[in-house]
Amino acid sequence: MNVPKANEKKLGLWTSTSLVIGNMIGSGVFLMPATLAAYGGISVLGWIFSAIGALLLAKIFSNLSIMMPASNGGPYAYSRKGMGDFAGFLVAWGYLISTWCTNAAIAVAFVGALSTFFPVLAVNNLMAVTFGLGAIWFLTWINTLGIVASGKMQLLTTLLKLIPLILVCIGGLFFMDFNNFIPFNMSGTSDFTAITATATLTFFAFLGMECATIPSSSVENPEKTIPRATMMGTIITTIIYIMSSVSIMGMIPANTLEKSVTPFADAAAIIFGAGAVYWVGGGVAIAAFGTLNGFILIQGQVADAMATDRLFPAIFSKKNKNGVASSGIFIGSVIVSMIMVMNYTKGLASQFKFLILLSTLTVLVPYLFSAASYILIKVQTKTHTGSWWSASILATMAFMYSLWAIAGSGQDTVYWGFMMLMAGIPIYVWMIWNKQIK
């Protein structure tokens, strides 16, 4: 019997699931209870509404992964199959922009979390930049060692980041005061308006549900593993999000919670004592570190898929001795590093925040295109995964939800995000001109 080499090993169910959970649960979710406090208990309904949309999209990606197993690039591959090269290119280009900007923001969040233990990072920009770049390039190196090394790091950091979240979720149930949920709607607006507003805010915590589909060819039994990982990851994350919000809002009065800059740490201090602030701070740092690892993997996989299909410069698919498209990962991390440094450079900080804001739209467009492509691919391939009636309902609901999320991101975000997508057209034209695309 031939024993597979290390670089031929693939991601299993739990590692793929950790990629979904780990990329969805970043450092931002630790601040979400404070953001939602102004709305009151009704924000829990916002979580439920956004979770329904996320589960619809997760089901779309699960079904697509069954219809197109081992199709690298996830949303890119699905959009290209259903709507053609140009649509696929726009989705991947937008996804890359979003991933680069997101990774820069995550690196900044990682440094911010570490400042709990090393206060100098909050006042010394040079030290902050050094730690941020160190995290980016250490994880870049890990990802060039092979998909298994990346997967192991993702699984470890996901397990570690879940510990403080689960402890607060469960422990908080014993310290709840249901009077903290009264009045149920504190926003001063109608219930419908409040639910819509909180659903818009919370939906962005679900971005990343598609991540198991992106390295498809590196997943063991992709037609079974990917749909299971996608649905399991989304469901587990949903439960943790809703339970943690209920627990924290039940422990801390809304007017106090709204002013908190560390809601999870405040809740942990109530449950376990003042020392809990530090292990929650460690959880935030690990959350950011793990999410950064997951999205560095993704930035290389998407660029590799594009280059392999001759929709991006060939250098992005150049493999190293471990079978990894290391050039694409390296180039992506150079861009991420430049964007991150902007945050600590006087005069460029506002541009950094602007880029992060614009990356919102470019990660929502792939959801819209994937939902539309679902029916088109079903027609093209004549697959029999479920009835046409149920498939049509699922695709329509997921498409409408994605459209609603894009509209909810704001007029300016839509305008400038569209301009960022259009900025990729010269690259597409250049590829055609150089006879890269037939």
Side-chain angles (χ1 to χ4, degrees):
M1 181 177 67
N2 293 327
V3 179
K5 297 179 181 178
N7 62 358
E8 292 177 343
K9 293 181 180 178
K10 297 188 175 186
L11 302 179
L13 176 61
W14 291 111
T15 309
S16 298
T17 303
S18 73
L19 185 61
V20 176
I21 298 173
N23 281 13
M24 278 199 283
I25 302 180
S27 58
V29 72
F30 286 85
L31 298 174
M32 190 63 77
T35 303
L36 298 175
Y39 295 92
I42 199 169
S43 60
V44 175
L45 297 181
W47 271 119
I48 293 172
F49 185 75
S50 61
I52 291 171
L55 289 168
L56 286 171
L57 286 164
K59 184 61 177 175
I60 287 284
F61 287 120
S62 295
N63 289 355
L64 283 168
S65 68
I66 296 172
M67 295 160 69
M68 294 178 59
S71 297
N72 285 344
Y76 152 71
Y78 307 143
S79 299
R80 179 171 178 260
K81 175 69 174 178
M83 306 172 73
D85 283 346
F86 184 61
F89 174 85
L90 282 182
V91 164
W93 170 248
Y95 203 91
L96 278 177
I97 291 174
S98 179
T99 302
W100 292 332
C101 292
T102 298
N103 281 346
I106 294 169
V108 171
F110 172 69
V111 173
L114 285 182
S115 66
T116 301
F117 308 95
F118 307 103
V120 67
L121 295 177
V123 295
N124 189 315
N125 283 351
L126 180 59
M127 288 290 291
V129 168
T130 301
F131 270 71
L133 291 176
I136 291 169
W137 288 101
F138 172 73
L139 291 174
T140 297
W141 171 69
I142 289 292
N143 276 273
T144 61
L145 297 179
I147 191 75
V148 174
S150 307
K152 287 180 178 178
M153 176 65 75
Q154 189 71 2
L155 182 58
L156 175 63
T157 54
T158 298
L159 291 173
L160 289 175
K161 80 169 71 175
L162 287 179
I163 292 173
L165 290 169
I166 292 173
L167 287 175
V168 169
C169 286
I170 297 174
L173 298 177
F174 298 94
F175 292 84
M176 291 181 64
D177 180 356
F178 287 97
N179 290 322
N180 290 335
F181 292 98
I182 301 172
F184 189 59
N185 182 2
M186 297 175 54
S187 66
T189 62
S190 68
D191 289 351
F192 178 79
T193 301
I195 292 172
T196 301
T198 53
T200 302
L201 288 170
T202 55
F203 178 71
F204 295 104
F206 289 98
L207 302 183
M209 73 192 77
E210 73 287 349
C211 286
T213 69
I214 292 175
S216 295
S217 65
S218 298
V219 175
E220 185 178 345
N221 297 322
E223 67 279 0
K224 293 182 179 180
T225 300
I226 293 175
R228 290 176 182 173
T230 301
M231 294 306 299
M232 284 174 56
T234 305
I235 291 170
I236 291 171
T237 303
T238 297
I239 293 171
I240 290 174
Y241 281 164
I242 294 175
M243 283 189 63
S244 62
S245 289
V246 170
S247 294
I248 292 175
M249 294 178 73
M251 280 188 286
I252 305 173
N255 58 349
T256 302
L257 182 59
E258 188 177 359
K259 299 173 184 175
S260 174
V261 295
T262 56
F264 269 86
D266 294 345
I270 294 173
I271 303 169
F272 304 105
V277 170
Y278 291 99
W279 58 259
V280 171
V284 176
I286 293 169
F289 192 73
T291 305
L292 182 60
N293 174 70
F295 276 111
I296 286 177
L297 184 154
I298 294 304
Q299 77 184 22
Q301 291 283 332
V302 172
D304 179 24
M306 293 175 71
T308 300
D309 291 335
R310 301 174 69 182
L311 291 176
F312 217 47
I315 190 173
F316 283 88
S317 62
K318 185 178 180 181
K319 304 292 194 296
N320 64 11
K321 63 181 181 181
N322 297 313
V324 177
S326 55
S327 296
I329 296 175
F330 180 85
I331 294 170
S333 291
V334 169
I335 296 171
V336 171
S337 299
M338 292 171 62
I339 297 173
M340 189 212 71
V341 170
M342 289 172 63
N343 183 66
Y344 298 100
T345 304
K346 187 176 181 180
L348 292 178
S350 59
Q351 285 88 336
F352 169 82
K353 295 175 182 177
F354 182 66
L355 286 174
I356 300 306
L357 175 65
L358 293 188
S359 69
T360 299
L361 177 70
T362 52
V363 79
L364 290 175
V365 168
Y367 294 169
L368 188 74
F369 277 44
S370 295
S373 296
Y374 177 51
I375 289 296
L376 296 174
I377 293 172
K378 195 172 178 65
V379 171
Q380 293 172 17
T381 59
K382 296 181 173 61
T383 54
H384 299 286
T385 53
S387 68
W388 281 99
W389 177 247
S390 61
S392 299
I393 293 175
L394 176 63
T396 301
M397 293 177 68
F399 182 88
M400 294 304 296
Y401 195 92
S402 301
L403 197 61
W404 169 83
I406 290 173
S409 63
Q411 182 177 346
D412 289 343
T413 300
V414 171
Y415 173 76
W416 288 108
F418 177 77
M419 296 303 291
M420 288 181 75
L421 287 176
M422 292 302 100
I425 292 179
I427 298 176
Y428 186 82
V429 173
W430 180 82
M431 296 293 291
I432 295 175
W433 184 263
N434 284 273
K435 297 182 180 179
Q436 291 290 316
I437 303 173
K438 295 181 180 180

